[in-house]
């Protein structure tokens, strides 16, 4: 297994005045192998998107490192770094409408990356855009239309074409289906899976729908209040969660297969996620955990491997 992307104790904090800091991402070490899909799950506000954006350099790192093929990437990107890394790492955004400039045609939007980061010109750019429109299931003739002329699912296809036209090796998909109708979600997931196979992509797939993440991912990483609490093979984490938070998260996520849904215990997560400005001492999940012990309130559990080294859990129960 060759590592393509590695984060080493990566943290991202935001200063919000009066010496207060939002601990959006705290000390995350995660390795993503070549051609692997790692699903990143957690409630809203757990820091998933910030982690994805920090990995590909859209946010400067507060501390820690990101490596791409063993190369340590800069702490904060300069324009030259974006230029060099754009053809290696890209992002597909959650909201396909707000991420597309309404004043640009679809052809201009998809071509933008090529114009900025490749040596292709004029008709070469045009034919590459036409090729990608077809590749994502649209028509070459759509080039001169504007984003508002397309449905949500079509707009996400445009977002995918824009991200993949430079044929990057690594793509962060930030909740790419959460703004879409259920009927369209499967089409977009199938398109991404197909492109992953044909292009040999490596993906960090951020989502809150755990059954969808299990379906598309090789491994699953569970994030809570800026930290990783569990990592493992997607099926193993989904069907045999070890961390109490993962267990509750999976129990509260509707399972599309009615037979599986009936066989699973139903649980609901209690209480509120603490503020990332005042991160509690000890285990961050302690105030909501049904299995909390005295030690949990004073000692921070570390992410440690279980018997199978691929399975890691941060909980004093292990
Ligand atoms: Fe619950 Fe303690 Fe494990 Fe945290 S460390 S998840 S509070 S049992």
């Amino acid at each position: 297994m060759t590592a393509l992307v590695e984060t080493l104790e990566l943290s991202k904090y935001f200063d919000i005045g009066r010496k207060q800091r939002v601990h959006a991402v705290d000390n995350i070490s995660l390795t993503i192998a070549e051609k692997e899909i790692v699903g990143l799950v957690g409630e809203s506000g757990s820091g998933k998107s910030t982690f994805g954006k920090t990995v590909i350099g859209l946010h400067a790192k507060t501390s820690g490192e990101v490596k791409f093929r063993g190369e340590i990437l800069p702490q904060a990107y300069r324009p030259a770094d974006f230029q060099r890394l754009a053809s290696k790492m890209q992002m597909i955004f959650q909201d396909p409408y707000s991420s597309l400039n309404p004043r640009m045609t679809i052809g201009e939007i998809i071509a933008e990356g090529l114009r900025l980061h490749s040596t292709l010109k004029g008709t070469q750019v045009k034919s590459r855009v036409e090729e990608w429109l077809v590749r994502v299931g649209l028509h070459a003739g759509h080039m001169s239309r504007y984003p508002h002329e397309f449905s949500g699912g079509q707009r996400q296809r445009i977002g995918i074409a824009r991200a993949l036209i430079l044929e990057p090796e690594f793509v962060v998909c930030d909740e790419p289906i959460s703004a879409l109708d259920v009927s369209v979600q499967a089409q977009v997931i199938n398109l991404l899976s197909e492109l992953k196979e044909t292009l040999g992509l490596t993906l960090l797939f951020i989502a809150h729908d755990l059954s969808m993440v299990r379906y598309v991912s090789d491994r699953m990483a569970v994030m809570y209040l800026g930290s990783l609490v569990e990592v493992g093979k997607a099926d193993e984490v989904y069907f045999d969660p070890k961390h109490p938070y993962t267990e509750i998260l999976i129990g509260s996520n509707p399972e599309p297969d009615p037979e599986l849904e009936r066989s699973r215990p139903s649980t609901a997560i209690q209480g509120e996620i603490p503020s990332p400005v005042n991160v509690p001492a000890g285990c961050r999940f302690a105030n909501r955990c049904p299995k909390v012990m005295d030690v949990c309130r004073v000692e921070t559990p570390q992410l440690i491997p279980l018997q199978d080294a691929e399975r890691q859990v941060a909980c004093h129960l292990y």
Side-chain angles (χ1 to χ4, degrees):
M1 188 169 94
T2 311
L4 183 72
V5 176
E6 288 171 90
T7 71
L8 303 159
E9 299 179 359
L10 182 67
S11 295
K12 175 63 192 175
Y13 304 153
F14 297 97
D15 290 324
I16 52 167
R18 290 192 192 169
K19 296 186 182 162
Q20 288 196 312
R21 298 188 115 184
V22 175
H23 294 235
V25 173
D26 234 343
N27 220 20
I28 290 191
S29 296
L30 181 70
T31 300
I32 305 174
E34 228 174 343
K35 299 185 184 172
E36 184 182 38
I37 301 185
V38 174
L40 183 62
V41 298
E43 289 166 281
S44 298
S46 58
K48 307 182 297 294
S49 294
T50 305
F51 176 72
K53 287 178 180 165
T54 310
V55 169
I56 65 162
L58 293 180
H59 289 314
K61 304 154 194 65
T62 302
S63 61
E65 286 176 354
V66 177
K67 288 186 184 176
F68 184 84
R69 287 205 182 283
E71 176 198 344
I72 299 172
L73 301 181
Q75 183 266 336
Y77 285 14
R78 294 159 303 150
D81 297 314
F82 282 112
Q83 178 75 14
R84 184 172 66 87
L85 294 166
S87 58
K88 300 185 193 306
M89 302 195 280
Q90 281 289 331
M91 187 151 186
I92 295 169
F93 293 91
Q94 175 180 11
D95 182 346
Y97 195 60
S98 64
S99 68
L100 303 178
N101 185 335
R103 284 183 290 278
M104 287 168 76
T105 65
I106 298 314
E108 288 167 340
I109 289 169
I110 299 175
E112 207 177 13
L114 280 183
R115 293 195 201 285
L116 290 172
H117 305 295
S118 82
T119 53
L120 298 183
K121 301 261 178 279
T123 53
Q124 293 169 310
V125 170
K126 183 169 178 279
S127 58
R128 185 70 72 85
V129 172
E130 286 172 345
E131 178 199 320
W132 268 93
L133 277 168
V134 174
R135 217 162 171 177
V136 298
L138 298 170
H139 299 290
H142 285 158
M143 277 184 77
S144 54
R145 296 196 190 172
Y146 289 86
H148 73 268
E149 297 177 64
F150 294 87
S151 67
Q154 287 173 319
R155 287 196 288 260
Q156 194 51 287
R157 287 169 189 268
I158 294 161
I160 292 170
R162 177 181 59 178
L164 300 190
I165 197 164
L166 288 165
E167 305 202 353
E169 293 172 80
F170 175 61
V171 180
V172 174
C173 302
D174 186 10
E175 307 240 15
I177 54 165
S178 60
L180 304 177
D181 289 346
V182 175
S183 58
V184 185
Q185 288 183 352
Q187 294 170 19
V188 172
I189 287 295
N190 289 338
L191 172 65
L192 277 172
S193 307
E194 196 185 300
L195 291 170
K196 188 248 171 194
E197 288 307 318
T198 50
L199 299 172
L201 289 172
T202 302
L203 301 178
L204 177 66
F205 190 91
I206 299 170
H208 59 258
D209 182 339
L210 281 100
S211 51
M212 191 61 84
V213 170
R214 177 183 78 82
Y215 174 69
V216 296
S217 307
D218 301 302
R219 282 189 303 140
M220 196 186 288
V222 184
M223 202 166 164
Y224 183 76
L225 198 58
S227 294
L228 285 186
V229 297
E230 183 157 3
V231 181
K233 290 192 181 104
D235 275 354
E236 289 179 10
V237 173
Y238 190 81
F239 290 112
D240 183 22
K242 299 294 185 198
H243 194 282
Y245 175 62
T246 315
E247 209 176 323
I248 296 172
L249 201 62
I250 289 169
S252 59
N253 188 69
E255 166 58 58
D257 179 338
E259 221 161 279
L260 283 176
E261 175 66 21
R262 273 195 294 276
S263 67
R264 290 178 338 140
S266 173
T267 44
I269 195 157
Q270 303 293 324
E272 292 293 314
I273 189 166
S275 162
V277 177
N278 299 307
V279 175
C283 174
R284 295 176 180 201
F285 189 55
N287 71 318
R288 307 169 85 187
C289 179
K291 297 177 181 170
V292 63
M293 304 170 285
D294 288 345
V295 64
C296 306
R297 301 195 192 276
V298 284
E299 270 180 41
T300 305
Q302 303 301 315
L303 195 66
I304 51 161
L306 299 184
Q307 277 155 338
D308 166 9
E310 263 201 85
R311 190 70 178 274
Q312 297 172 293
V313 180
C315 174
H316 290 307
L317 292 169
Y318 300 93

